[in-house]
Every structure is written in C-alpha cells, then in structure tokens.
Amino acid sequence: MKLSSNKLWGLAFVFSGCIFEYNPYEIRLEPALQNLNSKAIEKIKATPAKDTLTIALVADTQRFYNELERIVKSANQQQYDFMLVAGDITEYGLEQEYRWINQILEKLKQPYICVIGNHDFQGDGSHVFKKLFGPLNDSFEYGHFNFILHDTNS
C-alpha cells in the first residue's frame, strides 16, 4: 500500500503528540501527584504528637538534584518528624522540574511539605505548585504546634 504525502503528514501529526510535549507550561499531573502537602500533613497527624519535634529543613533545591539525593540519603539516617522544603524547588517553575524534585523527595522515609519560593512562581509555576502541593497558603496543627505555610512572593 502506498501512502500519499498528505497521509504521511497526517500520520506524523497524529503520532507527534505521543512523542513531544505540546507546551512546557502544560500541567498534566496524575491524581497520585496532586495535593501532596495535604497527604503529608495527614501522615504527620497520623503519628502520636510529642512534646518536641525535629524538622529537617532544606531550601533552594533547584538544579541541585545530586546534592538533594545526598540530603535525602542523609536524612533517612537521621531521626526527624518531617521535612520542610522552604521554596525555590525549581528554577523556572516547570512541571518537569517539580517532577524531578518529587522523584527524589518521595524517597524520604518521613513526610515532606513544600512552600513556594520565587523561582517556583515563574511562568505557570504557581499553578503547577497548587496542583502538585495544594494551596499557596495553608496551616495545620500537630499536637500543641501550629504551622503556617505562607507564600511570601509579592
């Protein structure tokens, strides 16, 4: 069977959507990768509250994937209640950057919560953040502790 050039172009167009991203700012997060902060908060609240909490704190993880891998390995050898990632998770706010960081952070033995930073806000980054982690501003209580997750971007 011989295909005309129009049919070949049509096939190329149909299959190109399977190979390439349409737009780097498109948000396609499956349900398992949505509202991660609220899922982490549920895990935190599911453990009995103590008088003293130990929180692992990390920030500015953008582009430092190897270093973050080492931090996760080290954190998994430590005793802590949860990790707080204090912004600048990504460099450009792209969904793929968020995915790369999440692939590393999901290896933590304890839950992690993220707060948006100015780099995460770029482009459609705030929309990706909201879909992936939840509201830009949130709060929760754990034992006699109150936590406020606040977007300080202006």
Side-chain angles (χ1 to χ4, degrees):
M1 179 170 139
K2 184 176 178 183
L3 294 174
S4 69
S5 63
N6 285 344
K7 288 182 181 177
L8 285 173
W9 278 108
L11 284 173
F13 178 74
V14 168
F15 288 112
S16 68
C18 299
I19 299 170
F20 303 103
E21 288 184 31
Y22 172 70
N23 182 329
Y25 297 107
E26 188 172 13
I27 304 170
R28 289 185 180 184
L29 294 171
E30 52 274 13
L33 288 178
Q34 293 180 21
N35 297 310
L36 296 181
N37 277 353
S38 64
K39 293 173 184 175
I41 292 168
E42 287 175 22
K43 288 180 186 176
I44 293 166
K45 288 182 171 184
T47 61
K50 301 177 283 187
D51 288 338
T52 303
L53 287 181
T54 303
I55 301 169
L57 176 65
V58 66
D60 297 287
T61 59
Q62 81 269 26
R63 296 180 297 140
F64 298 108
Y65 304 112
N66 293 334
E67 290 81 357
L68 185 59
E69 290 270 3
R70 288 195 291 274
I71 289 169
V72 167
K73 286 179 186 175
S74 176
N76 283 339
Q77 297 172 2
Q78 311 297 320
Q79 296 292 324
Y80 64 100
D81 296 289
F82 65 90
M83 179 177 279
L84 175 63
V85 184
D88 289 348
I89 303 160
T90 69
E91 182 69 16
Y92 302 107
L94 298 175
E95 178 185 328
Q96 186 58 53
E97 292 178 293
Y98 281 106
R99 285 181 180 273
W100 289 331
I101 292 296
N102 182 63
Q103 287 172 351
I104 298 168
L105 291 173
E106 69 184 4
K107 296 174 187 169
L108 286 165
K109 291 181 180 176
Q110 298 297 336
Y112 73 94
I113 297 171
C114 291
V115 178
I116 195 165
N118 64 311
H119 284 264
D120 309 319
F121 211 81
Q122 294 184 51
D124 280 348
S126 63
H127 299 292
V128 179
F129 185 95
K130 285 188 266 188
K131 192 155 192 168
L132 183 65
F133 294 110
L136 300 181
N137 295 296
D138 203 356
S139 65
F140 68 98
E141 294 179 9
Y142 177 62
H144 58 274
F145 299 97
N146 295 314
F147 293 92
I148 298 170
L149 309 175
H150 182 59
D151 169 19
T152 60
N153 291 293
S154 55

